[in-house]
């Protein structure tokens, strides 16, 4: 009787050990970008006109009991879902939250900011926002805090293993190039300028020990209700020019990431194909269970409710899971879930050269 028990116990303890190893702390996630992934930074920018700190934003966000957090969607962002998929128990907290210090840094930090872009001038109409240069300055400050908290060697290891998730660039078109604040400039010249700035920014991150960088392409910005409520539409039902600009930018971005992978030893720059992933959801929305890929769930004005931002006075759709777009600019949690899971587990057309699971 006693022998099987001993065997069982030893088997049990072996399983516990293996399970324990598998349950090592997941890599930290440092999130950079715009309102697609802002987890509350703009709440702290008093002068910002780009805020999601009011009902009904966050209505489906379980971690806050449905209270607004500053996320520009009804539930989780793509960055939140990626964090969950790789085993994070807490979402990366906003950098500007005063409690984001010490041990709270160890899971990663979110620097993203509504209206932010690659260029400093982008989003100027929203007054206050964190552009990409400033977001990296802030990461540099986190980096120094981690050095003090863990010691330089452990801090370096944490950062080298961490995922850097970057979702930026859409505002450089929507809230700069396509508005009256832009200098009159040909698309190619403007996109080149974006690439020069971005190369500098990604190089700075590499020098701060970032090695695993997931760079999002620009989503189909011609298909957002804000655009489709205003502009003449092409045969895909989207505004042609913004999508053409996004495609041009995305091509150059792919080339830049290939170049960076070659120049920086030990680096992994991944191209997250947000454009095609979201376009697939839009085009095939019915097969994904959505009823509409053109109307905003929360918004008013124009054909698709895409003129006036989502707020307490907006009309709100009945079933949020049936809408691809939450508001005039941002996808719903339901759409974010489809895209985020493909970034973690998908194939080379979704994310390349490897997916996030392989990156870890
Ligand atoms: C943008 O702003 C940041 C900080 O606000 C500054 O450090 C950086 O030099 C600026 N970049 C450019 C290209 O002007
Ligand atoms: C980080 O900050 C330090 C100290 O302010 C500065 O010397 C260094 O150049 C910064 N690094 C980057 C990549 O911005």
């Amino acid at each position: 009787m006693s022998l099987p028990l001993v065997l069982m116990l030893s088997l049990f303890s072996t399983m516990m050990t293996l399970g324990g190893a598998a349950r090592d702390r997941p890599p930290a996630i440092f999130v950079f970008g715009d309102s697609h992934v802002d987890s509350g930074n703009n709440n702290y920018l008093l002068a910002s006109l780009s805020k999601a700190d009011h009902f009904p934003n966050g209505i489906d966000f379980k971690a806050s009991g449905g209270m607004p957090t500053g996320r520009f969607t009804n539930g989780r962002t793509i960055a939140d879902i990626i964090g969950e998929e790789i085993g994070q128990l807490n979402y990366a907290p906003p950098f500007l939250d005063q409690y984001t210090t010490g041990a709270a840094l160890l899971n990663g930090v979110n620097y993203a900011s509504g209206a932010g872009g690659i260029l400093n001038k982008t989003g100027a109409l929203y007054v206050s926002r964190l552009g990409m240069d400033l977001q990296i300055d802030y990461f540099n400050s986190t980096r120094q805090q981690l050095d003090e908290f863990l010691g330089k060697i452990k801090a370096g290891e944490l950062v080298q293993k961490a995922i850097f998730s970057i979702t930026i660039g859409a505002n450089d078109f929507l809230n700069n190039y396509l508005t009256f604040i832009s200098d009159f400039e040909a698309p190619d010249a403007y996109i080149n300028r974006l690439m020069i700035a971005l190369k500098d920014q990604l190089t700075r991150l590499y020098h701060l020990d970032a090695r695993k960088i997931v760079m999002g392409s620009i989503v189909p910005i011609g298909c957002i209700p804000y655009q489709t409520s205003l502009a003449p539409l092409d045969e895909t039902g989207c505004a042609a020019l913004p999508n053409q600009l996004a495609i041009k930018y995305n091509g150059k971005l792919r080339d830049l990431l290939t170049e960076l992978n070659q120049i920086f030893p030990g680096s992994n720059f991944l191209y997250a194909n947000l454009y095609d992933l979201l376009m697939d959801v839009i085009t095939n929305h019915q097969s994904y269970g959505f009823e509409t890929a053109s109307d905003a769930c929360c918004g008013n004005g124009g054909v698709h409710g895409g003129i006036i931002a989502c707020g307490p006075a907006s009309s709100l759709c009945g079933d949020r899971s049936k809408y691809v777009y939450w508001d005039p600019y941002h996808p719903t949690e339901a759409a974010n879930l489809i895209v985020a899971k493909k970034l973690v587990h998908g194939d080379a057309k979704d994310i390349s050269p490897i997916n996030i699971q392989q990156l870890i």
Side-chain angles (χ1 to χ4, degrees), residues 57-121:
N57 290 294
I59 189 169
D60 298 310
F61 191 67
K62 293 202 180 64
S64 67
M67 297 297 287
T69 61
R71 285 170 173 78
F72 293 77
T73 183
N74 59 313
R76 291 162 290 171
T77 67
I78 288 178
D80 293 330
I81 299 160
I82 291 173
E84 283 178 9
E85 287 289 307
I86 69 166
Q88 292 270 4
L89 299 178
N90 298 304
Y91 303 121
F95 175 83
L96 293 179
D97 183 332
Q98 60 170 321
Y99 298 108
T100 305
T101 69
L105 306 174
L106 300 180
N107 286 322
V109 176
N110 183 309
Y111 308 89
S113 168
I118 295 168
L119 301 178
N120 279 352
K121 187 180 176 185

Side-chain angles (χ1 to χ4, degrees), residues 118-121 131-135 137 197 200-201 204:
I118 295 168
L119 301 178
N120 279 352
K121 187 180 176 185
M132 197 56 191
D133 283 329
L134 191 53
Q135 292 184 30
D137 289 345
D200 185 54
Q201 291 160 356
R204 285 181 68 205

Side-chain angles (χ1 to χ4, degrees), residues 133-145:
D133 283 329
L134 191 53
Q135 292 184 30
I136 298 171
D137 289 345
Y138 286 165
F139 173 70
N140 194 0
S141 141
T142 301
R143 189 60 241 271
Q144 282 156 28
Q145 291 179 56

